[in-house]
Amino acid sequence: MEITEVRIYPFDSEGATRAFASITFDNSFVVRDIRVVDGKKGLFVSMPAKKTPKGEFKDICHPITNELRETIQKTILDKYEQEIA
């Protein structure tokens, strides 16, 4: 599986969200509403989530392996850094 496109949408807010991102896999499958978040340990990527009736947030989709998670995060954060430069 190859990431074939990354789009970054910078987000001006007083909260921790710095941008939203969309990624395309193999020119065939898109995941939208990925957040670039400025956390206590620096920037990280948060997958799309929905709020449950109990008030918890559950990912709508997410990578199964650490390798894919790291690839997605690195690709999005690299593109984010390019966009804000």
Side-chain angles (χ1 to χ4, degrees):
M1 181 179 306
E2 179 183 344
I3 298 172
T4 52
E5 183 177 24
V6 177
R7 292 185 181 200
I8 301 293
Y9 306 95
F11 185 72
D12 291 329
S13 76
E14 294 185 22
T17 300
R18 297 292 174 243
F20 286 93
S22 296
I23 56 174
T24 303
F25 293 96
D26 296 330
N27 292 316
S28 301
F29 186 78
V30 175
V31 178
R32 293 190 171 121
D33 293 333
I34 299 169
R35 294 186 315 135
V36 175
V37 180
D38 191 3
K40 292 179 182 178
K41 296 180 181 179
L43 293 175
F44 68 94
V45 170
S46 175
M47 298 304 287
K50 66 177 181 175
K51 193 173 186 177
T52 68
K54 292 182 178 183
E56 301 171 81
F57 285 91
K58 297 286 183 174
D59 286 347
I60 294 170
C61 60
H62 58 90
I64 299 297
T65 66
N66 283 336
E67 179 182 37
L68 182 56
R69 178 176 298 281
E70 290 170 8
T71 298
I72 290 170
Q73 180 155 294
K74 181 179 181 340
T75 303
I76 289 174
L77 293 181
D78 287 350
K79 183 71 171 185
Y80 172 75
E81 294 294 337
Q82 290 174 9
E83 288 287 323
I84 62 168

